[in-house]
Amino acid sequence: MRLIVIFVLIFFVAAGVVVGALNAGLVDYDFAFARVSMPKGAALLAALVLGWLLGGLTAWLGVSLRHRRRLKAGKKQARA
């Protein structure tokens, strides 16, 4: 099983290197307060990581808040 995970990881790293090499052109981003110029591959990777982090944070907060509500409701039932 561990060998399969290593092969899948190597495949995705190689695919990322190829995508980054094929998209070496620069992309300009103009935020109202700053201007950033970065390669297309780096911009794609940054967007992917940012989306992954925000999605994980959203999922974690949803589960955490639901868990707190259940604990609070359980405490109320225990007192009654």
Side-chain angles (χ1 to χ4, degrees):
M1 182 68 175
R2 186 176 290 181
L3 187 61
I4 293 172
V5 171
I6 291 172
F7 282 138
V8 169
L9 182 65
I10 289 172
F11 172 76
F12 281 109
V13 167
V17 168
V18 169
V19 167
L22 291 176
N23 293 304
L26 292 178
V27 175
D28 292 326
Y29 292 103
D30 186 12
F31 305 106
F33 52 89
R35 176 172 268 177
V36 177
S37 181
M38 62 174 47
K40 291 178 191 175
L44 181 65
L45 182 62
L48 178 71
V49 169
L50 183 65
W52 182 72
L53 288 174
L54 290 176
L57 179 67
T58 302
W60 178 73
L61 284 174
V63 170
S64 176
L65 293 175
R66 186 180 326 138
H67 184 66
R68 277 193 206 145
R69 271 187 270 138
R70 286 184 182 172
L71 283 176
K72 195 180 282 187
K75 286 180 182 178
K76 283 184 180 179
Q77 285 181 352
R79 289 180 188 164

